[in-house]
Amino acid sequence: MKFGIFYEHQLPRPWGPDSEYRLLQDSLTQIELADRLGYDYAWEVEHHFLEEYSHSSAPEVFLAAASQRTSRIRLGHGIIQVPPAVNHPARVAERVATLDLISGGRVELGTGEGGSQMELGGFGVDRAEKRAQW
């Protein structure tokens, strides 16, 4: 059996001036601890334009920071949204390959189409076409 942790970076109101900073710093501290305790995975989602549900618009940056604070835990994208208007597939490949290199080969990759109209609409993606684009 393998164990892991999963981050969406939920941040309910009220927000203070350093709320997002604290959220990310606390999460990185938790991943460091999970690495020391022998957890197998740390996964991070990608969401956009969701005010309280998820403050996770740049998971590759967060996972890169985690890679420099840990030595063995695997780091997963669960998921990267790949409609081209959100993340062009070639850029996804570049970013994931770079993260894999700087983490010493510890990256897990999940891709998806995105979910809500709020997220997709912000990038001009038609919900009816998102599956085909994925």
Side-chain angles (χ1 to χ4, degrees):
M1 183 177 298
K2 295 188 178 200
F3 292 92
I5 51 179
F6 187 87
Y7 290 91
E8 297 205 55
H9 291 135
Q10 295 158 328
L11 191 58
R13 287 184 172 94
W15 299 323
D18 68 342
S19 294
E20 285 186 285
Y21 174 80
R22 285 278 20 110
L23 175 69
L24 295 175
Q25 294 303 314
D26 290 348
S27 297
L28 289 169
T29 299
Q30 291 166 4
I31 291 174
E32 286 181 76
L33 178 60
D35 186 59
R36 287 194 310 272
L37 293 174
Y39 279 57
D40 299 291
Y41 300 97
W43 289 86
E44 169 73 1
V45 301
E46 177 183 5
H47 284 296
H48 303 277
F49 313 115
L50 304 176
E51 292 184 353
E52 295 182 75
Y53 177 69
S54 178
H55 285 227
S56 183
S57 59
E60 68 280 358
V61 176
F62 176 79
L63 292 172
S67 79
Q68 300 306 292
R69 295 172 176 226
T70 59
S71 62
R72 52 154 305 284
I73 196 168
R74 297 198 57 81
L75 304 167
H77 281 283
I79 60 157
I80 297 176
Q81 296 182 21
V82 292
V86 180
N87 288 299
H88 191 282
R91 292 287 294 134
V92 169
E94 291 172 337
R95 291 192 318 256
V96 171
T98 301
L99 178 58
D100 198 53
L101 289 169
I102 66 171
S103 72
R106 295 185 285 140
V107 173
E108 302 286 336
L109 174 62
T111 66
E113 61 199 51
S116 70
Q117 181 58 44
M118 180 172 286
E119 289 187 274
L120 295 167
F123 292 103
V125 176
D126 183 342
R127 274 195 87 189
E129 297 179 21
K130 70 182 179 110
R131 174 76 38 101
Q133 290 179 18
W134 175 47

